[in-house]
Amino acid sequence: MTKFELIATAAMGLEAVVAKEVRDLGYECIVENGRVRFKGDEFAICKSNLWLRTADRVKIVVGEFKAKTFDELFEKTKALPWEKFLPENAEFPVSGKSVKSTLFSVSDCQAIVKKAIVNRLSTYYRRTSWFEENGPLFKIEVSILKDTAMLTIDTSGAGLHKRGYRAEQGEAPIKETLAAALVLLTNWSPDRPFVDPFCGSGTIPIEAALIGQNIAPGFNREFVSEGWNWISDKLWDEARNEAEDLANYDQEIDIIGSDIDHKMVNIAKANAFEAGLGELIQFKQMQVKDFTTTKEFGVIIGNPPYGERLGDKPMVEKMYTEMGQALSPYETWSVYMLTSNERFEECYGKPATKKRKLFNGFIQTNYYQYWGKRPPREIK
Ligand SMILES: C[S@@+](CC[C@H](N)C(=O)[O-])C[C@H]1O[C@@H](n2cnc3c(N)ncnc32)[C@H](O)[C@@H]1O
C-alpha cells in the first residue's frame, strides 16, 4: 500500500469537528483553514469517504510548491509523479483558484497545469498523439495561496453531503454535513430523546439517527475513486463490510422531527424511508409553541427560520419568544438553535450557555447552546 498525503476539506468553522472525526478513524491529523490534513493508504481513502460525516470531500495532495512564475508552475507540476495516479486513458479536467498570489489568472494556471501533466504523461506512456481521456475521472485542482501552489486530486466525486437519501427538499434545507456537525457538537447520545422542532425535510433527525446507530453516511452512494484501477474493488468491499459490521441497527433511538408545515412532514418521512430509517424516526406536524414532553434529559436541535426575508423578522422573533416560553419548563433538556438572527437570545428569553459561530452556506450564524441538567449517571 502507498502512503498518501490526504486532506478532508471542511466548511469554515467545522475544521475541528472534521479533525475529531479523522482522529476517530485512527489517523493523526493537522488542522488548517478549511481543511484537515492526514496521511493514509488506499484503504484510508475508502474509509474516510465512507465515514466522514462533516467533511465536504477527501482529496489527495499530489504536490505543494512555491510558484511565482508560469515557468515555475509548469516545471514543478511536470516534476510530480502523475503516472502513479493517472492511467493512460484518464479523464483529467483541471480547475483552479488563486488567492493573494502573483499568478492570479486562474484560467492560465489551469492551462499550464494541464499542459505540464500532459507533457509528463506523454513521456511516461510514450505518446505522440493526444490523450483520448475516455477513461476514469481524476478531477485535478490547482489552488494557489500566497504564491504556494497545491495540486490535488478529488477522491469523492459528488460532495460528501450527498448521502443519497434526499429525494425531496424544502425551501431552505441544511447541508447534511452541517446537520451532522450540529448533532456532533451537542451532548446527545442515542440513549437520550432527540427532537428537531423545525425538521423541514428531516435532515437533522436523519443525520442523528445515522450517528445514533453508527451507520456510515456514505454507505448508500458511490465515490469517483471507485472507478480507479489502483484501488481494488476488494478494498472497497472490505471497507463497506467493515462499515456494515460496525453499524448498530439494534440501538434503540427516540428521535422526533416536527414542523408547522404538513407538506414538509411528508417530505421528511419520504427522505427517512429513502435513508432506510423510516420506522426509526417519528415525524409529526406541530408548531414549536405546542411542544410538550414527559421525558427527561432530551436534546432539542433546530434550524428555525432566520427572518432574513423582508417583513419576516417580527413574525420570526415572536416565534422565538413563544419557543422560549414553551421550552423553559424542561430544565433537564438541552436546546441548540442555529440562526443568523442577532436578537435570538433576547427573544428566546435568556442568554445562551455557549455560542459558536458557524456558516450555513454563506450566511453567518450562531449556534446557540442552552445546556440542560446532566443525566444522573453523568453527575460525578
Ligand atoms: C430553515 S427550515 C429547516 C430546514 C431543515 N433543517 C431541512 O434540512 O430541511 C425551517 C423550518 O421551520 C418550519 N417552521 C416555521 N415556523 C415554525 C413554527 N412556528 N413551528 C414549527 N416549525 C416552523 C418551516 O416550515 C421550515 O420547514
Side-chain angles (χ1 to χ4, degrees):
M1 294 255 201
T2 320
K3 265 267 180 278
F4 302 101
E5 179 88 30
L6 300 171
I7 51 176
T9 59
M12 225 188 318
L14 290 188
E15 294 91 340
V17 188
V18 172
K20 179 166 188 311
E21 284 203 276
V22 170
R23 280 190 206 107
D24 287 349
L25 288 179
Y27 306 105
E28 282 304 308
C29 63
I30 298 169
V31 183
E32 296 176 0
N33 270 343
R35 64 190 178 216
V36 172
R37 274 183 201 254
F38 61 108
K39 286 189 168 59
D41 55 16
E42 289 84 345
F43 195 59
I45 294 177
C46 307
K47 218 164 114 170
S48 52
N49 271 301
L50 273 170
W51 278 101
L52 291 180
R53 299 178 195 278
T54 59
D56 287 329
R57 286 171 186 282
V58 178
K59 296 179 177 181
I60 301 169
V61 180
V62 182
E64 235 180 326
F65 48 78
K66 277 270 170 207
K68 282 190 172 181
T69 66
F70 287 133
D71 268 355
E72 233 179 325
L73 181 62
F74 181 87
E75 291 304 332
K76 290 180 177 173
T77 301
K78 195 179 143 189
L80 297 170
W82 293 99
E83 63 283 353
K84 265 176 49 188
F85 305 97
L86 275 51
E88 195 171 354
N89 63 348
E91 180 188 350
F92 56 105
V94 179
S95 63
K97 58 184 180 212
S98 171
V99 178
K100 296 183 186 157
S101 298
T102 317
L103 298 178
F104 59 84
S105 163
V106 172
S107 56
D108 285 332
C109 292
Q110 285 170 211
I112 279 162
V113 166
K114 179 86 186 190
K115 202 167 149 199
I117 301 173
V118 167
N119 203 298
R120 167 102 189 183
L121 295 180
S122 299
T123 311
Y124 183 82
Y125 291 117
R126 298 171 200 278
R127 295 279 300 209
T128 47
S129 57
W130 288 102
F131 286 101
E132 275 136 32
E133 296 203 34
N134 54 6
L137 179 64
F138 293 79
K139 276 192 174 173
I140 293 166
E141 186 185 60
V142 48
S143 155
I144 313 182
L145 173 66
K146 294 184 187 159
D147 294 329
T148 297
M150 180 190 262
L151 289 162
T152 56
I153 303 176
D154 172 40
T155 73
S156 302
L160 294 181
H161 67 285
K162 298 233 163 136
R163 322 284 210 212
Y165 63 70
R166 192 140 78 184
E168 288 188 74
Q169 59 187 48
E171 250 180 54
I174 195 169
K175 223 171 157 180
E176 293 80 345
T177 39
L178 177 59
L182 296 186
V183 178
L184 294 175
L185 283 168
T186 71
N187 56 357
W188 181 69
S189 51
D191 53 340
R192 301 175 70 168
F194 180 105
V195 175
D196 175 359
F198 303 98
C199 73
S201 56
T203 322
I204 303 174
I206 292 172
E207 290 299 320
L210 293 175
I211 292 168
Q213 291 202 332
N214 201 33
I215 299 170
F219 198 69
N220 273 325
R221 58 159 280 175
E222 290 178 346
F223 304 94
V224 74
S225 44
E226 286 182 70
W228 301 351
N229 60 349
W230 50 268
I231 307 185
S232 68
D233 291 347
K234 199 169 143 263
L235 213 56
W236 279 104
D237 287 347
E238 215 175 289
R240 285 211 163 82
N241 289 339
E242 185 190 77
E244 183 66 26
D245 289 345
L246 290 170
N248 185 1
Y249 299 113
D250 294 332
Q251 172 67 55
E252 284 184 20
I253 45 180
D254 175 358
I255 298 183
I256 300 176
S258 57
D259 198 286
I260 194 169
D261 183 348
H262 67 89
K263 284 199 299 293
M264 291 316 306
V265 173
N266 289 337
I267 290 176
K269 279 183 187 164
N271 288 341
F273 267 100
E274 196 61 42
L277 304 164
E279 307 295 332
L280 226 52
I281 308 173
Q282 295 171 55
F283 289 105
K284 62 178 183 191
Q285 190 272 333
M286 192 188 76
Q287 295 196 43
V288 70
K289 68 176 180 186
D290 296 332
F291 176 86
T292 58
T293 184
T294 51
K295 297 171 197 163
E296 290 200 301
F297 303 106
V299 172
I300 295 177
I301 302 183
N303 174 37
Y306 302 166
E308 294 220 324
R309 264 190 315 217
L310 206 66
D312 281 359
K313 213 169 189 166
M315 214 168 63
V316 160
E317 292 184 349
K318 180 168 169 272
M319 184 267 285
Y320 291 163
T321 303
E322 289 167 352
M323 166 162 62
Q325 287 161 356
L327 303 185
S328 71
Y330 304 108
E331 291 181 338
T332 65
W333 283 66
S334 295
V335 178
Y336 298 78
M337 287 287 145
L338 184 79
T339 174
S340 64
N341 190 307
E342 294 288 340
R343 284 183 12 95
F344 179 78
E345 290 165 290
E346 204 182 310
C347 301
Y348 186 77
K350 60 177 177 179
T353 321
K354 195 179 163 188
K355 287 192 261 187
R356 189 184 173 116
K357 282 211 180 320
L358 289 176
F359 276 87
N360 182 357
F362 292 110
I363 307 176
Q364 190 173 337
T365 60
N366 269 306
Y367 195 32
Y368 294 96
Q369 318 186 9
Y370 296 90
W371 300 346
K373 283 189 182 155
R374 286 182 174 191
R377 75 189 131 61
E378 274 184 25
I379 297 169
K380 293 197 178 122

